[in-house]
Amino acid sequence: MLLVLLAVLQLSGCAVSPRLKPSDQPSVARKTFVITGASSGFGRGVALKLAALQGDVVLAARRTDVLEELAAQIRMAGGSALVVTTDVSNPNEMQDLARAAIERFGRIDVWINNAAVGALGRFEDVPVEDHARIVDVNLKGMIYGSHAAMRQFRAQGFGTLVNVGSVESEIPLAYHASSAATKGGVINLGAAIAEEIRLSGSETINVATVMPWAVDTPFLGINLPFLVH
């Protein structure tokens, strides 16, 4: 689990040292990593880093063409990648994602819930449809992904769930009301699942929430007044 957290933190600019390096390959090689929101930003960066260490990566997002380009880049470098076009706000598609990963690789070692959208503006000025979409992706999508992952982890007896929140999981900011609300939900979701794991006595299933600050990714580079993907 530590290696995955370091990978996410490294790509988010939150980790200076230690960083994933070639000597970490035995801990990553031939393990299966499901990554939502893999088409850009943190998801893309983590996928490339894990694949470079010979991890098997399952790339999930809505933009199939972008995922295929990323998968081709990974394969050209000698890595292994599976593309599964997925809308995280659709629970059936998230279950399909888990099934596709199992059918291809036989197991899921790590599931990284990374997909998110956001809106910037005064709460009452942002269209209510955008608020709803943020909840659908950032919170419901996190629940659907965690549910699919945990069912598989319980069945196979091991696994690590990584939910990507943000600094707003603990410190809500003005003009990000719905995003802050969903990110607060992300940290509480992870904490509740972790407590259930503790109460079950399992020592081989783990859950963690990563809370990066604002980072220069395409997420922040889209010049839309409201919803950004």
Side-chain angles (χ1 to χ4, degrees):
M1 182 176 72
L2 176 60
L3 293 177
V4 178
L5 291 177
L6 288 175
V8 177
L9 289 169
Q10 177 179 335
L11 270 297
S12 70
C14 297
V16 176
S17 179
R19 290 175 179 258
L20 288 174
K21 49 192 180 298
S23 61
D24 294 320
Q25 182 172 329
S27 298
V28 175
R30 300 287 72 86
K31 289 185 172 61
T32 303
F33 301 84
V34 175
I35 307 168
T36 71
S39 57
S40 66
F42 295 167
R44 177 184 176 87
V46 170
L48 288 168
K49 176 63 68 172
L50 293 171
L53 296 176
Q54 301 305 305
D56 298 323
V57 294
V58 181
L59 309 172
R62 292 181 300 163
R63 295 181 292 171
T64 306
D65 56 338
V66 178
L67 291 180
E68 291 290 0
E69 291 175 3
L70 175 59
Q73 182 178 347
I74 288 171
R75 292 168 187 144
M76 286 182 63
S80 176
L82 171 66
V83 169
V84 184
T85 305
T86 306
D87 180 349
V88 301
S89 68
N90 185 321
N92 294 327
E93 292 191 18
M94 292 295 264
Q95 295 295 330
D96 290 343
L97 171 60
R99 280 192 290 269
I102 295 301
E103 289 174 2
R104 173 68 176 272
F105 297 113
R107 57 193 271 177
I108 299 173
D109 293 278
V110 180
W111 184 295
I112 304 175
N113 281 318
N114 169 72
V117 297
L120 178 64
R122 288 199 313 189
F123 177 73
E124 66 272 22
D125 291 338
V126 175
V128 71
E129 295 82 6
D130 287 356
H131 287 304
R133 180 61 180 166
I134 291 167
V135 173
D136 286 344
V137 173
N138 295 12
L139 186 55
K140 289 184 179 179
M142 198 74 60
I143 290 171
Y144 301 151
S146 298
H147 188 268
M150 285 301 300
R151 287 177 68 90
Q152 179 59 32
F153 293 163
R154 293 289 193 186
Q156 67 189 24
F158 63 89
T160 296
L161 173 65
V162 179
N163 290 333
V164 180
S166 80
V167 67
E168 289 192 287
S169 295
E170 293 185 331
I171 307 172
L173 302 176
Y175 309 114
H176 290 196
S178 293
S179 296
T182 60
K183 294 302 184 179
V186 169
I187 193 171
N188 285 316
L189 173 67
I193 295 173
E195 181 64 6
E196 292 181 10
I197 294 170
R198 185 189 70 80
L199 291 172
S200 73
S202 174
E203 297 182 353
T204 54
I205 299 175
N206 300 284
V207 59
T209 302
V210 181
M211 296 180 289
W213 179 231
V215 179
D216 184 11
T217 70
F219 185 91
L220 294 181
I222 299 176
N223 297 314
L224 294 178
F226 298 124
L227 192 66
V228 295
H229 302 262

